[in-house]
């Protein structure tokens, strides 16, 4: 895959120019849209690889755009917004966004998030989690059929919940999953104490798969929001 085609949805001219110049210097192909209606039209007609989306648009809320795009596409959506409350991030992620960046942001951070999105596209194109019976990510391997996981070819002793968590994260590699989403998938509910249990299970899972807990390779925490599995080479 050559450099991906990015759709930038942003009504603030200064930020739109900043993102455009950055993409240009990195040789990304891109289109821009300032209004929600235009963004949807662009997404339908040009089928971009990645969308960078502002939430506060003059004619539409960005959340609506995420929901519309998700009705037909899994293209990575990176939200770039001034809304910085956890609840705003959770709403965007639960609507189907992959990632969330709060304004003001650094160009390096935006480029890093784009690279995560690209690895996610590559992973889905080359292997695709659905048709695959195995998952490989760096030293981590999961055998979905046998229901076991390995680190450096040594079998991990996981509890059933830890294993379910690991599988859920692996099937959404590169994507930030909210606490609500995870607890609903694992326990079928979103009670507050499930979120507390989730933290405990996540801590024990990480102890088993991360060699350095201060620099996690596999599971990234988004404080107050959720978790993401990172794709390692
Ligand atoms: Ca805006």
């Amino acid at each position: 895959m050559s450099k991906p085609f990015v759709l930038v949805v942003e009504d603030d001219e200064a930020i739109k120019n900043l993102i455009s110049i950055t993409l240009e210097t990195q040789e990304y192909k891109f289109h821009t849209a300032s209004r929600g209606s235009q963004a949807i039209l662009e997404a339908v007609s040009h089928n971009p690889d990645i969308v960078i989306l502002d939430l506060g648009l003059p004619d539409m809320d960005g959340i609506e755009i995420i929901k519309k795009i998700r009705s037909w596409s899994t293209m990575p959506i990176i939200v770039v917004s001034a809304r910085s409350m956890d609840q705003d991030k959770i709403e965007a992620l639960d609507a189907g966004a992959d990632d969330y960046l709060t304004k003001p942001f650094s160009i390096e951070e935006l480029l890093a998030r784009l690279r995560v999105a690209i690895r996610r596209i590559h992973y889905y194109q080359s292997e695709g989690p659905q048709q695959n019976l195995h998952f490989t990510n760096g030293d981590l391997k999961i055998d979905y059929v046998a229901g076991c996981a390995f680190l450096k070819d040594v079998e991990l002793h996981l509890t059933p919940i830890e294993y379910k968590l690991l599988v859920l994260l692996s099937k959404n590699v590169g994507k930030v999953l909210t606490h609500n989403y995870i607890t609903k998938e694992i326990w079928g509910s979103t009670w507050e104490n499930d979120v507390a249990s989730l933290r405990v299970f996540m801590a024990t899972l990480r102890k088993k798969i991360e060699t350095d807990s201060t620099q996690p390779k596999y599971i990234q925490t988004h404080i107050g929001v959720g978790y993401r599995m990172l794709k390692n080479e």
Side-chain angles (χ1 to χ4, degrees):
M1 180 176 168
S2 56
K3 277 275 185 177
F5 175 50
V6 184
L7 172 62
V8 181
V9 187
E10 174 63 76
D11 64 324
D12 183 315
E13 282 299 318
I15 296 175
K16 190 163 74 184
N17 289 340
L18 176 70
I19 296 175
S20 300
I21 290 165
T22 306
L23 293 177
E24 230 167 61
T25 56
Q26 299 289 319
E27 293 172 353
Y28 282 96
K29 286 175 277 181
F30 65 95
H31 277 190
T32 61
S34 315
R35 300 176 67 83
S37 50
Q38 190 192 353
I40 289 167
L41 198 64
E42 281 280 341
V44 172
S45 48
H46 294 107
N47 198 32
D49 298 306
I50 300 171
V51 180
I52 296 176
L53 176 70
D54 177 27
L55 293 182
L57 297 166
D59 60 331
M60 204 184 278
D61 194 284
I63 299 287
E64 290 310 310
I65 299 177
I66 299 171
K67 288 180 183 161
K68 284 209 164 69
I69 291 178
R70 277 293 167 265
S71 68
W72 86 85
S73 170
T74 58
M75 62 179 80
I77 301 173
I78 303 172
V79 167
V80 177
S81 175
R83 299 179 197 166
S84 60
M85 303 288 283
D86 286 349
Q87 203 42 52
D88 297 317
K89 297 180 190 175
I90 290 165
E91 197 190 350
L93 294 166
D94 277 341
D98 287 69
D99 203 349
Y100 198 106
L101 203 53
T102 306
K103 290 174 185 170
F105 59 91
S106 78
I107 285 303
E108 285 72 27
E109 189 61 27
L110 178 66
L111 290 172
R113 303 300 178 98
L114 276 170
R115 287 192 296 271
V116 170
I118 292 164
R119 278 200 289 274
R120 182 163 130 75
I121 299 169
H122 284 175
Y123 173 69
Y124 277 77
Q125 279 177 349
S126 60
E127 301 165 64
Q130 287 84 9
Q131 55 270 49
N132 244 26
L133 308 176
H134 293 90
F135 170 82
T136 306
N137 184 4
D139 292 327
L140 180 69
K141 286 193 183 79
I142 306 173
D143 182 336
Y144 292 136
V145 180
C148 39
F150 303 84
L151 192 69
K152 291 184 178 161
D153 296 323
V154 178
E155 187 174 354
L156 293 163
H157 296 285
L158 303 177
T159 65
I161 297 274
E162 288 166 358
Y163 178 74
K164 272 172 91 173
L165 278 173
L166 189 64
V167 168
L168 183 65
L169 289 163
S170 72
K171 294 204 167 179
N172 293 279
V173 69
K175 197 171 187 307
V176 181
L177 302 180
T178 63
H179 295 139
N180 279 357
Y181 177 82
I182 299 172
T183 54
K184 221 192 263 168
E185 291 291 315
I186 303 289
W187 289 284
S189 64
T190 55
W191 288 10
E192 261 311 301
N193 46 352
D194 286 335
V195 176
S197 324
L198 174 61
R199 285 205 185 89
V200 175
F201 283 111
M202 208 54 103
T204 59
L205 173 61
R206 290 172 119 171
K207 253 185 216 145
K208 294 176 185 178
I209 66 168
E210 301 287 4
T211 34
D212 180 358
S213 59
T214 60
Q215 287 190 313
K217 257 176 81 179
Y218 298 106
I219 303 175
Q220 194 181 51
T221 302
H222 290 247
I223 294 164
V225 176
Y227 300 92
R228 154 160 67 191
M229 180 175 280
L230 296 168
K231 184 83 183 92
N232 291 265
E233 297 308 325

